[in-house]
Amino acid sequence: MSFYQLETARLRLRQWQPSDFPVFAQLNADAQVMRYFPKCLSTAESQQLAMRFHDLIQEKQWGFWAVELKENQQFIGFVGLHAQPEQFSFSPCVEIGWRLTQQYWQQGYATEAAQACLAFAFEVLKLEAVVAFTAHSNLASVKVMQRLGMTYLQDFNHPALAQNDSLALHVLYQITQDAFLAHPQSPWSYTIQTTN
């Protein structure tokens, strides 16, 4: 089974491999990384999530890719696309998301990888739109969405969280194929490979 792999100037977005799992577990146990999620993950929960991402890429050929630095093959987190067929009031949709190890924040990696993912979504998958959402207080992720050229649509309460949960209120952003292709935002070139 072949699947897509993306490359930018600095990053490779690829299928998950076992060597990623310990670093991913550390990432998901970091309270600062996970502050806008309901809880940190145990090692077992983290590995289960990584395997789910791996299996979805095997099934669909794309998904939440593992991200590594091309210069040294260091795994730094994930960035990618995920179908949400029914969970939300705005489903069906495809979301773009990211989660990086804290030491690699504020270096443009999330934006660089996400730009390649959006180009892939619109040029290869021919999607009409891609959405992104996060807790209302997660201003860093909102800034990435804005840098990607996404526009604010609405606030909503995440259906998986209790209404009175401090993280329940989320913001929803979107970018359409027409908007992305009319004004390509990315200063980074990217390439697409299919890998067996």
Side-chain angles (χ1 to χ4, degrees), residues 50-178:
M51 284 305 303
R52 181 167 169 248
F53 292 164
H54 172 278
D55 292 348
L56 283 169
I57 291 173
Q58 289 291 102
E59 175 189 337
K60 289 180 170 289
Q61 302 181 287
W62 53 271
F64 281 145
W65 285 284
V67 179
E68 69 177 29
L69 301 178
K70 288 169 68 172
E71 64 179 1
N72 59 9
Q73 290 77 57
Q74 174 65 48
F75 169 80
I76 67 170
F78 74 80
V79 180
L81 304 164
H82 183 66
Q84 292 282 6
E86 57 187 23
Q87 183 178 13
F88 301 103
S89 61
F90 47 86
S91 293
C93 61
V94 172
E95 66 164 305
I96 187 167
W98 46 83
R99 189 181 304 171
L100 300 182
T101 302
Q102 192 175 164
Q103 72 187 89
Y104 298 105
W105 292 0
Q106 297 181 329
Q107 298 175 58
Y109 289 132
T111 305
E112 179 174 341
Q115 285 286 4
C117 292
L118 287 177
F120 172 82
F122 295 131
E123 296 171 6
V124 178
L125 299 181
K126 306 296 185 184
L127 299 179
E128 293 183 4
V130 173
V131 302
F133 48 85
T134 190
H136 208 276
S137 50
N138 188 356
L139 300 182
S141 268
V142 169
K143 287 179 181 176
V144 174
M145 295 172 196
Q146 293 169 345
R147 282 197 292 271
L148 291 170
M150 307 186 87
T151 56
Y152 168 81
L153 286 187
Q154 65 184 62
D155 290 354
F156 71 99
N157 284 326
H158 198 293
L161 298 172
Q163 296 290 306
N164 61 351
D165 191 301
S166 62
L167 296 175
L169 185 62
H170 274 51
V171 290
L172 176 66
Y173 276 70
Q174 177 184 269
I175 186 168
T176 64
Q177 182 190 56
D178 289 345

